[in-house]
Amino acid sequence: MKKFWRRGEPFVWATGLTLSTIIIMTGLLLYVVVVNGIGVFWPRQLVQLTLNDGRAVMGEVTQVNEGVGQGQRLQLKIGNRDLYGLDFTWVNDSDVKDRSYPQDAYVVERQEYGNFFGFLLKVHSPGHTADGNDEGLDEALTKVRQDAAPILDSGKKINGTFSDINLAIEKIDQAIAKYHYRGITDQDERIVALLQKKDGLKAQFEELLADRQRNVKELSKYNAVFRAADGREATIPVSQLVRVYQPNSMNFFQKFGHYGCKLGELFFAEPRESNTEGGLFPAIFGTVMLVLLMSILSFPLGVISGIYLREYAKAGILVKTVRIAVNNLAGIPSIVYGIFGLGFFVYGVGGVVDNVFFPERLPSPTFGTGGILWASLTLGLLTIPVVIVATEEALGSIPPAVREGSLALGATKFQTLTRLLLPMASPGIMTGFILAMARAAGEVAPLMITGVVKLAPALPLDGQFPYIHLNRKFMHLGFHIYDIGFQSPNVEAAKPMVYVTTLLLILIVLALCSVAIHLRNIMRQRYAIADV
């Protein structure tokens, strides 16, 4: 027994048990996220329940629980929020008199009020109405949507032109404000020319407004009437239809195609319904751009600081204090970094930038408000300690004989550092970079006060000069999870999107880290002596 303890067998078992626990917990986390997130877009069957009291409900079964003394309880997503005022309901299995899966039941994805579950009754278009007595009502709905498509496209073009005109007017206002700031009056010919141009844009805006009203009036003639399971009817304009399908009559390949379309929408479309439906493109773009900016801004600073501390700084109380401070910085709560970023970067540096470069726009801030640049710098500050420590450790792990041999051969300290030590330490530095990047991608608290928003009207990168707009606010997947999961008035309806967003965030972090790990492995193979 003494030998058992002396050999440290219990500690071996304890370390193995700890590692196993961590692996199991990580696997459990991934299992919950993947199981709940990967099947969200797969079309579910619509079940119609006739209850003992004569009522009828129809929807998708989302949960089955064991009720106390009442047998099974079914949670149904019944949709039709505009009719019922709620998306979900619970039904006791004992209250169900009849259950069916109607082949002609529709799922109607809408721009507003969530999905509608029901049966198609009528289809209206200018000069023609098709109802249940006509054959090919489904084809009539398809034809009406095709007929309305050019009008919808025209409306989108008008909205796009609206944005261009607003942007042009905003630039003119900024140019006039700059002249006023220099003391130039409205009688100056340059300002007069700008005002004339602005009047022309306003006239164009009024014409477009009239066109849009005509467009909306024309679109109102295209609509479809659906009947819910309880007999109530709803008239849905074609302009509100996003997608219409009959899940009970779809085969596997049709469902697979639908699943692919939904994935495409998730990656490339804008969100709708308060971010609980539609795509996540702005949030994906904002997250990736934030991590890349953070890496560009923080990685060089962290590496240079680590090099100085390890290679050039003389040992002493000051250096020891700095090392302790750097190590402690890694343990500070992230919200503290957010408050610092708000005070230093946003109000401090941003305020100075506004006073120096954009004084004519004040008191409206340009850089003196939250934006992706300040959020990236704040995250960079948060992750720099990890990079510094990793750089120091990587340089410290190189055998002293390597340095001494290089110096003995006549190389300078700088040549030894850049041509020998840094390449050998690069795998270790990349490890610190990977840890920093993974932490930055998942942080939310500091972003909430330095630039992230629920819905950003424009991306930080677009086709408008100067193309990269570092002062713009942005969307982030982590904040998206917090917003729809805990701030949405309809949390139950938003739950599927929470799992999808979480899965997407994990995949993005894995993808970014995989690229970094690949680079690290290349460096490790090239400078294998670093592992000696």
Coordinates of all heavy atoms in Angstrom, one line a residue, residues 4-62:
F4 N 2.1 1.9 -3.2 CA 1.0 2.4 -4.1 C 0.9 3.9 -4.0 O 0.8 4.7 -5.0 CB -0.3 1.8 -3.7 CG -1.5 2.3 -4.4 CD1 -1.8 2.0 -5.7 CD2 -2.4 3.3 -3.7 CE1 -2.9 2.5 -6.3 CE2 -3.5 3.8 -4.4 CZ -3.8 3.4 -5.7
W5 N 1.0 4.4 -2.7 CA 1.0 5.9 -2.5 C 2.2 6.6 -2.9 O 2.2 7.7 -3.5 CB 0.7 6.2 -1.0 CG -0.7 5.9 -0.6 CD1 -1.3 4.8 0.0 CD2 -1.9 6.8 -0.9 NE1 -2.6 4.9 0.2 CE2 -3.0 6.2 -0.4 CE3 -2.0 8.0 -1.5 CZ2 -4.3 6.7 -0.5 CZ3 -3.2 8.6 -1.6 CH2 -4.4 8.0 -1.1
R6 N 3.4 5.9 -2.6 CA 4.7 6.5 -3.0 C 4.9 6.6 -4.5 O 5.5 7.6 -4.9 CB 5.8 5.6 -2.4 CG 7.2 6.3 -2.4 CD 8.2 5.5 -1.6 NE 8.4 4.1 -2.0 CZ 8.0 3.1 -1.4 NH1 7.5 3.2 -0.2 NH2 8.3 1.9 -1.8
R7 N 4.3 5.7 -5.2 CA 4.4 5.8 -6.7 C 3.5 6.9 -7.3 O 3.5 7.2 -8.5 CB 4.2 4.5 -7.3 CG 5.3 3.5 -7.1 CD 4.9 2.1 -7.5 NE 4.5 2.0 -8.9 CZ 4.1 0.9 -9.5 NH1 3.9 -0.2 -8.8 NH2 3.8 0.9 -10.7
G8 N 2.6 7.4 -6.4 CA 1.7 8.4 -6.9 C 0.5 7.9 -7.7 O -0.1 8.7 -8.5
E9 N 0.1 6.7 -7.6 CA -1.0 6.1 -8.3 C -2.3 6.9 -8.2 O -3.0 7.2 -9.2 CB -1.2 4.6 -8.0 CG -0.1 3.7 -8.4 CD -0.1 3.6 -10.0 OE1 -1.1 3.8 -10.6 OE2 1.0 3.3 -10.5
P10 N -2.6 7.3 -6.9 CA -3.9 8.1 -6.8 C -3.9 9.4 -7.6 O -4.9 9.8 -8.1 CB -4.0 8.3 -5.3 CG -3.1 7.3 -4.7 CD -2.0 7.0 -5.6
F11 N -2.7 10.0 -7.7 CA -2.7 11.3 -8.4 C -2.8 11.0 -9.9 O -3.4 11.8 -10.6 CB -1.4 12.0 -8.1 CG -1.2 12.3 -6.6 CD1 -0.4 11.6 -5.8 CD2 -2.0 13.4 -6.1 CE1 -0.3 11.9 -4.5 CE2 -1.9 13.7 -4.7 CZ -1.0 12.9 -3.9
V12 N -2.3 9.9 -10.4 CA -2.4 9.6 -11.8 C -3.9 9.4 -12.1 O -4.5 9.9 -13.1 CB -1.6 8.3 -12.1 CG1 -1.9 7.9 -13.6 CG2 -0.1 8.5 -11.9
W13 N -4.6 8.6 -11.2 CA -6.0 8.4 -11.4 C -6.8 9.7 -11.3 O -7.8 9.9 -12.1 CB -6.6 7.4 -10.3 CG -6.2 6.0 -10.6 CD1 -5.2 5.3 -10.1 CD2 -6.9 5.1 -11.5 NE1 -5.2 4.0 -10.7 CE2 -6.2 3.9 -11.5 CE3 -8.0 5.3 -12.4 CZ2 -6.6 2.8 -12.3 CZ3 -8.4 4.2 -13.1 CH2 -7.7 3.0 -13.1
A14 N -6.4 10.6 -10.4 CA -7.1 11.9 -10.2 C -7.0 12.7 -11.4 O -7.9 13.3 -11.9 CB -6.6 12.6 -9.0
T15 N -5.8 12.8 -12.0 CA -5.5 13.6 -13.2 C -6.3 13.0 -14.4 O -6.9 13.8 -15.2 CB -4.1 13.7 -13.5 OG1 -3.5 12.4 -13.6 CG2 -3.3 14.5 -12.5
G16 N -6.3 11.7 -14.5 CA -7.0 11.1 -15.6 C -8.5 11.3 -15.4 O -9.2 11.6 -16.4
L17 N -9.0 11.2 -14.2 CA -10.5 11.5 -13.9 C -10.8 12.9 -14.3 O -11.9 13.2 -14.9 CB -10.8 11.2 -12.5 CG -12.2 11.3 -12.1 CD1 -13.1 10.3 -12.8 CD2 -12.4 11.1 -10.6
T18 N -9.9 13.8 -13.9 CA -10.2 15.3 -14.2 C -10.3 15.5 -15.7 O -11.2 16.2 -16.2 CB -9.1 16.1 -13.6 OG1 -9.0 15.9 -12.2 CG2 -9.4 17.6 -13.8
L19 N -9.3 14.9 -16.4 CA -9.3 15.1 -17.9 C -10.6 14.5 -18.5 O -11.2 15.1 -19.4 CB -8.1 14.4 -18.5 CG -7.9 14.5 -20.0 CD1 -7.9 16.0 -20.5 CD2 -6.7 13.8 -20.5
S20 N -10.9 13.3 -18.0 CA -12.1 12.6 -18.5 C -13.4 13.5 -18.3 O -14.3 13.6 -19.1 CB -12.3 11.3 -17.9 OG -11.2 10.5 -18.1
T21 N -13.5 14.1 -17.1 CA -14.6 14.9 -16.8 C -14.7 16.1 -17.7 O -15.8 16.4 -18.2 CB -14.5 15.4 -15.3 OG1 -14.4 14.3 -14.4 CG2 -15.7 16.2 -14.9
I22 N -13.5 16.7 -18.0 CA -13.5 17.9 -18.9 C -14.0 17.5 -20.3 O -14.8 18.1 -20.9 CB -12.1 18.5 -18.9 CG1 -11.8 19.1 -17.5 CG2 -12.0 19.6 -20.0 CD1 -10.4 19.6 -17.4
I23 N -13.4 16.3 -20.7 CA -13.8 15.9 -22.1 C -15.3 15.5 -22.2 O -16.0 15.9 -23.1 CB -13.0 14.6 -22.5 CG1 -11.5 15.0 -22.6 CG2 -13.5 14.0 -23.7 CD1 -10.6 13.8 -22.8
I24 N -15.8 14.9 -21.1 CA -17.3 14.6 -21.1 C -18.1 15.8 -21.1 O -19.1 15.9 -21.8 CB -17.6 13.7 -19.9 CG1 -17.0 12.3 -20.1 CG2 -19.1 13.6 -19.7 CD1 -17.1 11.4 -18.8
M25 N -17.7 16.8 -20.3 CA -18.5 18.0 -20.2 C -18.5 18.8 -21.6 O -19.5 19.3 -22.0 CB -18.0 18.9 -19.1 CG -18.3 18.4 -17.7 SD -17.6 19.4 -16.4 CE -18.5 20.9 -16.6
T26 N -17.3 18.8 -22.2 CA -17.2 19.5 -23.5 C -18.0 18.7 -24.5 O -18.7 19.4 -25.3 CB -15.7 19.5 -23.9 OG1 -14.9 20.1 -22.9 CG2 -15.5 20.3 -25.2
G27 N -17.9 17.4 -24.5 CA -18.7 16.6 -25.4 C -20.2 16.8 -25.2 O -21.0 16.9 -26.2
L28 N -20.6 16.9 -24.0 CA -22.0 17.1 -23.6 C -22.5 18.5 -24.2 O -23.6 18.6 -24.7 CB -22.2 17.0 -22.1 CG -23.7 17.1 -21.6 CD1 -24.5 15.9 -22.2 CD2 -23.7 17.1 -20.1
L29 N -21.6 19.5 -24.0 CA -22.0 20.8 -24.5 C -22.2 20.8 -26.0 O -23.2 21.3 -26.5 CB -20.9 21.8 -24.1 CG -21.0 23.2 -24.7 CD1 -22.1 24.0 -24.2 CD2 -19.7 24.0 -24.5
L30 N -21.2 20.2 -26.7 CA -21.3 20.1 -28.2 C -22.5 19.3 -28.6 O -23.2 19.7 -29.6 CB -20.0 19.5 -28.7 CG -18.8 20.4 -28.6 CD1 -17.5 19.6 -29.1 CD2 -18.9 21.7 -29.4
Y31 N -22.8 18.2 -27.9 CA -23.9 17.4 -28.2 C -25.2 18.2 -28.1 O -26.1 18.1 -29.0 CB -24.0 16.2 -27.3 CG -25.2 15.3 -27.4 CD1 -25.3 14.4 -28.5 CD2 -26.3 15.4 -26.5 CE1 -26.5 13.6 -28.6 CE2 -27.4 14.7 -26.7 CZ -27.5 13.8 -27.7 OH -28.6 13.0 -27.9
V32 N -25.4 18.9 -27.0 CA -26.7 19.7 -26.8 C -26.8 20.7 -27.9 O -27.9 20.9 -28.5 CB -26.7 20.4 -25.4 CG1 -27.8 21.4 -25.3 CG2 -26.8 19.3 -24.4
V33 N -25.7 21.4 -28.2 CA -25.8 22.5 -29.3 C -26.0 21.9 -30.6 O -26.9 22.4 -31.4 CB -24.4 23.3 -29.2 CG1 -24.4 24.3 -30.4 CG2 -24.3 24.0 -27.9
V34 N -25.3 20.8 -31.0 CA -25.4 20.2 -32.3 C -26.8 19.6 -32.5 O -27.5 19.9 -33.5 CB -24.3 19.2 -32.6 CG1 -24.6 18.4 -33.9 CG2 -23.0 19.9 -32.6
V35 N -27.3 18.8 -31.5 CA -28.6 18.2 -31.6 C -29.7 19.2 -31.8 O -30.6 19.0 -32.6 CB -28.8 17.2 -30.4 CG1 -30.3 16.8 -30.4 CG2 -27.9 16.0 -30.5
N36 N -29.6 20.2 -31.0 CA -30.7 21.2 -31.0 C -30.6 22.2 -32.2 O -31.5 22.9 -32.5 CB -30.8 22.0 -29.7 CG -31.3 21.2 -28.6 OD1 -32.5 20.9 -28.5 ND2 -30.4 20.6 -27.8
G37 N -29.3 22.4 -32.7 CA -29.1 23.4 -33.7 C -29.2 22.9 -35.1 O -29.6 23.6 -36.1
I38 N -28.7 21.7 -35.3 CA -28.6 21.2 -36.7 C -29.9 20.9 -37.4 O -30.0 20.9 -38.6 CB -27.6 20.0 -36.7 CG1 -27.0 19.8 -38.1 CG2 -28.4 18.7 -36.3 CD1 -25.8 18.9 -38.1
G39 N -30.9 20.6 -36.6 CA -32.2 20.2 -37.2 C -33.2 21.2 -37.2 O -34.4 21.0 -37.6
V40 N -32.9 22.5 -36.9 CA -33.9 23.5 -36.8 C -34.5 23.8 -38.1 O -35.8 24.0 -38.2 CB -33.2 24.8 -36.3 CG1 -34.1 26.0 -36.5 CG2 -32.8 24.7 -34.8
F41 N -33.8 23.7 -39.2 CA -34.3 24.1 -40.5 C -35.0 22.9 -41.3 O -35.4 23.1 -42.4 CB -33.2 24.7 -41.4 CG -32.7 26.0 -40.8 CD1 -31.3 26.2 -40.7 CD2 -33.5 26.9 -40.3 CE1 -30.8 27.4 -40.2 CE2 -33.1 28.1 -39.7 CZ -31.7 28.3 -39.7
W42 N -34.9 21.7 -40.7 CA -35.5 20.6 -41.4 C -37.0 20.7 -41.2 O -37.5 20.9 -40.1 CB -35.0 19.3 -40.7 CG -35.4 18.1 -41.5 CD1 -36.5 17.2 -41.3 CD2 -34.8 17.6 -42.7 NE1 -36.6 16.3 -42.2 CE2 -35.5 16.4 -43.1 CE3 -33.7 17.9 -43.4 CZ2 -35.2 15.7 -44.2 CZ3 -33.3 17.2 -44.5 CH2 -34.1 16.1 -44.9
P43 N -37.8 20.6 -42.4 CA -39.2 20.8 -42.3 C -39.9 19.7 -41.4 O -39.7 18.5 -41.6 CB -39.7 20.6 -43.7 CG -38.5 20.8 -44.6 CD -37.3 20.3 -43.7
R44 N -40.6 20.1 -40.4 CA -41.4 19.2 -39.5 C -42.8 19.0 -40.0 O -43.4 19.9 -40.6 CB -41.4 19.7 -38.1 CG -40.0 19.8 -37.5 CD -40.2 20.3 -36.0 NE -38.9 20.4 -35.4 CZ -38.8 20.8 -34.1 NH1 -39.8 21.1 -33.4 NH2 -37.6 20.8 -33.5
Q45 N -43.4 17.9 -39.7 CA -44.7 17.6 -40.1 C -45.7 18.5 -39.3 O -45.5 18.7 -38.1 CB -45.1 16.1 -40.0 CG -44.5 15.2 -41.0 CD -45.2 13.9 -41.1 OE1 -45.4 13.3 -40.1 NE2 -45.5 13.5 -42.3
L46 N -46.8 18.9 -40.0 CA -47.8 19.6 -39.3 C -48.9 18.6 -38.8 O -49.4 17.8 -39.6 CB -48.5 20.6 -40.2 CG -47.7 21.8 -40.6 CD1 -48.4 22.7 -41.5 CD2 -47.3 22.6 -39.3
V47 N -49.2 18.6 -37.5 CA -50.2 17.7 -37.0 C -51.4 18.5 -36.6 O -51.3 19.6 -36.0 CB -49.6 16.9 -35.8 CG1 -49.2 17.8 -34.7 CG2 -50.7 16.0 -35.2
Q48 N -52.6 18.0 -37.0 CA -53.8 18.6 -36.6 C -54.5 17.8 -35.6 O -54.8 16.6 -35.8 CB -54.8 18.8 -37.8 CG -56.1 19.5 -37.5 CD -56.8 19.9 -38.8 OE1 -56.3 20.3 -39.7 NE2 -58.2 19.7 -38.7
L49 N -54.8 18.4 -34.4 CA -55.4 17.7 -33.3 C -56.8 18.2 -33.1 O -57.1 19.4 -33.1 CB -54.6 18.0 -32.0 CG -53.1 17.6 -32.0 CD1 -52.5 18.0 -30.7 CD2 -52.9 16.1 -32.3
T50 N -57.8 17.3 -33.0 CA -59.1 17.6 -32.7 C -59.3 17.2 -31.2 O -59.1 16.0 -30.8 CB -60.1 16.8 -33.5 OG1 -59.9 17.1 -34.9 CG2 -61.6 17.2 -33.2
L51 N -59.7 18.2 -30.4 CA -59.8 18.0 -28.9 C -61.2 17.5 -28.5 O -62.1 17.6 -29.3 CB -59.4 19.2 -28.2 CG -58.0 19.9 -28.6 CD1 -57.8 21.1 -27.7 CD2 -56.9 18.8 -28.4
N52 N -61.3 17.0 -27.3 CA -62.5 16.5 -26.8 C -63.6 17.6 -26.7 O -64.8 17.3 -26.8 CB -62.3 15.9 -25.4 CG -61.5 14.6 -25.5 OD1 -61.5 13.9 -26.5 ND2 -60.7 14.3 -24.4
D53 N -63.2 18.8 -26.5 CA -64.2 19.9 -26.4 C -64.6 20.5 -27.8 O -65.3 21.5 -27.9 CB -63.7 21.0 -25.5 CG -62.3 21.6 -26.1 OD1 -61.9 21.2 -27.1 OD2 -61.7 22.4 -25.4
G54 N -64.1 19.8 -28.9 CA -64.4 20.2 -30.2 C -63.4 21.2 -30.9 O -63.6 21.5 -32.1
R55 N -62.5 21.8 -30.1 CA -61.6 22.7 -30.7 C -60.6 21.9 -31.6 O -60.3 20.7 -31.4 CB -60.8 23.4 -29.6 CG -61.7 24.4 -28.8 CD -60.9 25.3 -27.9 NE -60.3 24.4 -26.8 CZ -59.0 24.3 -26.6 NH1 -58.2 25.0 -27.4 NH2 -58.5 23.5 -25.7
A56 N -60.0 22.7 -32.5 CA -58.9 22.1 -33.4 C -57.7 23.0 -33.3 O -57.8 24.2 -33.4 CB -59.5 21.9 -34.8
V57 N -56.6 22.3 -33.2 CA -55.3 23.1 -33.2 C -54.4 22.4 -34.2 O -54.5 21.1 -34.4 CB -54.6 23.2 -31.9 CG1 -55.4 24.0 -30.9 CG2 -54.4 21.8 -31.3
M58 N -53.5 23.1 -34.8 CA -52.6 22.5 -35.8 C -51.2 23.2 -35.6 O -51.1 24.4 -35.3 CB -53.0 22.7 -37.2 CG -52.1 22.0 -38.2 SD -52.9 22.0 -39.9 CE -52.8 23.7 -40.3
G59 N -50.1 22.4 -35.7 CA -48.8 23.0 -35.5 C -47.7 21.9 -35.6 O -48.0 20.7 -35.9
E60 N -46.5 22.3 -35.2 CA -45.4 21.4 -35.2 C -45.2 21.0 -33.7 O -45.2 21.8 -32.8 CB -44.1 22.1 -35.7 CG -44.3 22.6 -37.1 CD -43.1 23.5 -37.5 OE1 -42.4 23.9 -36.6 OE2 -42.9 23.7 -38.7
V61 N -45.0 19.7 -33.5 CA -44.7 19.2 -32.2 C -43.2 19.5 -31.8 O -42.3 19.0 -32.5 CB -44.9 17.6 -32.0 CG1 -44.6 17.2 -30.7 CG2 -46.4 17.3 -32.4
T62 N -43.0 20.3 -30.8 CA -41.6 20.7 -30.4 C -41.1 20.0 -29.2 O -39.9 19.9 -29.0 CB -41.6 22.2 -30.2 OG1 -42.6 22.6 -29.3 CG2 -41.8 23.0 -31.5

